Amino acid sequence: MLNGKVALVTGSTSGIGLGIALSLARQGATIVLNGFGDVEGPKAAVTALGVKVGYHGADMSKPAEIEAMMAYVTAEFGACDILVNNAGIQHVAAVEDFPPERWDAIIAINLSSAFHTTRLALPGMKQRGWGRILNLASVHGLVASAHKSAYVAAKHGLIGFTKAVALEAATSGVTVNAICPGWVLTPLVQKQVDARAAADGVDMEEGKRRLLAEKQPSLRFTTPEQLGELAVFLCSDAASNVCGQAWSLDGGWTAQ
Ligand code: NAD
């Protein structure tokens, strides 16, 4: 379905980004990975699916590095047809204790990076008359939780950005949408499970159960694979008229 398309997924060496990259690869898309940590493992997993793979190590908090990454994608693969703005970090603290540099980093990586990639990818997509931009927001783009002020602000901002760009692109063949997961058990959330288990003096399994019970009525984690399949749907022709939506996959979190 996505043969001949080139997909850049930011923050795809781990978690949700890797899940989405693998789902798009299964549909035949060429994949450009980005992110820190182990790169060879994710590259090999994509290659095993029989598609071309590239990698750029841009730090998504640095506009000049993002610009270099976008230039690399075009130079190496000819275009960026699918852009998944997924890189993200979390910091949990009361607002009065929130380190200013953590605030700046969260806004830069979780919000501003999507502006820097989008402004460079969109002209080519419009010119070719086809494109997909998927912004990994969160339930925290729709509702808030205490002690996550920077994350909630960035994710609400990302949904607003999604809507504005979707309107600008509405007649061009390019769709722009946000995906809003609830809890997904990735390294980003494992830290919060560990903190919860330590604070409550319980084991990890009980920590997971308590985290889910508080917010996610299904009592099940959403998986990177499910988010990957949602991304595939949003890239399909069936979704060509889905425009500026914030699509939740959250086990009922935001239905409450
Ligand atoms: P993760 O920690 O497993 O992966 C994050 C990825 O981003 C990694 O590949 C990491 O190397 C990369 N990254 C971090 N900082 C970067 C930077 N400065 N430059 C480039 N890459 C960087 O996290 P995840 O849970 O898979 O989160 C992915 C996205 O999904 C994030 O935007 C997150 O906010 C969002 N999200 C996660 C959950 C969840 O429950 N895990 C829920 C809702 C939304």
Side-chain angles (χ1 to χ4, degrees):
M1 184 185 101
L2 297 174
N3 292 311
K5 304 293 190 205
V6 177
L8 166 64
V9 186
T10 71
S12 47
T13 50
S14 165
I16 295 169
L18 181 57
I20 291 177
L22 294 174
S23 289
L24 297 177
R26 274 184 212 104
Q27 298 301 318
T30 293
I31 302 296
V32 182
L33 298 169
N34 158 260
F36 303 146
D38 174 36
V39 174
E40 291 313 314
K43 263 176 112 171
V46 173
T47 306
L49 296 169
V51 298
K52 280 191 262 177
V53 66
Y55 168 79
H56 195 283
D59 179 334
M60 298 304 289
S61 68
K62 304 207 165 111
E65 293 188 21
I66 296 174
E67 204 158 332
M69 176 177 70
M70 301 313 285
Y72 158 80
V73 176
T74 312
E76 198 71 19
F77 300 105
C80 177
D81 303 297
I82 299 167
L83 168 63
V84 184
N85 290 307
N86 166 80
I89 58 168
Q90 175 65 285
H91 186 81
V92 181
V95 69
E96 60 269 40
D97 302 327
F98 217 92
E101 64 279 7
R102 285 287 86 200
W103 171 279
D104 287 344
I106 289 178
I107 298 299
I109 297 166
N110 296 19
L111 175 59
S112 302
S113 71
F115 159 70
H116 293 295
T117 54
T118 298
R119 75 181 176 83
L120 296 168
L122 192 57
M125 291 178 179
K126 282 182 169 171
Q127 206 171 29
R128 290 184 296 277
W130 195 93
R132 294 287 186 268
I133 299 178
L134 304 180
N135 293 326
L136 259 292
S138 165
V139 286
H140 287 116
L142 300 166
V143 296
S145 295
H147 301 152
K148 294 186 176 176
S149 56
Y151 190 86
V152 168
K155 297 298 188 183
H156 274 68
L158 188 58
I159 290 179
F161 178 71
T162 301
K163 291 177 184 173
V165 181
L167 296 179
E168 292 179 30
T171 59
S172 68
V174 180
T175 69
V176 188
N177 290 288
I179 293 176
C180 299
W183 290 124
V184 186
L185 194 55
T186 64
L188 183 143
V189 163
Q190 185 62 50
K191 279 191 210 159
Q192 296 173 64
V193 170
D194 294 345
R196 181 63 186 254
D200 293 4
V202 295
D203 66 16
M204 184 134 59
E205 280 315 304
E206 182 59 13
K208 284 183 197 167
R209 203 199 61 75
R210 289 187 184 190
L211 211 67
L212 286 167
E214 202 171 67
K215 300 275 187 184
Q216 196 145 305
S218 68
L219 301 179
R220 282 177 287 122
F221 288 101
T222 295
T223 65
E225 292 72 26
Q226 291 168 338
L227 292 160
E229 292 310 297
L230 176 57
V232 167
F233 167 68
L234 290 171
C235 288
S236 72
D237 288 341
S240 67
N241 215 20
V242 181
C243 180
Q245 293 304 299
W247 197 305
S248 297
L249 219 170
D250 66 3
W253 185 320
T254 54
Q256 298 170 97

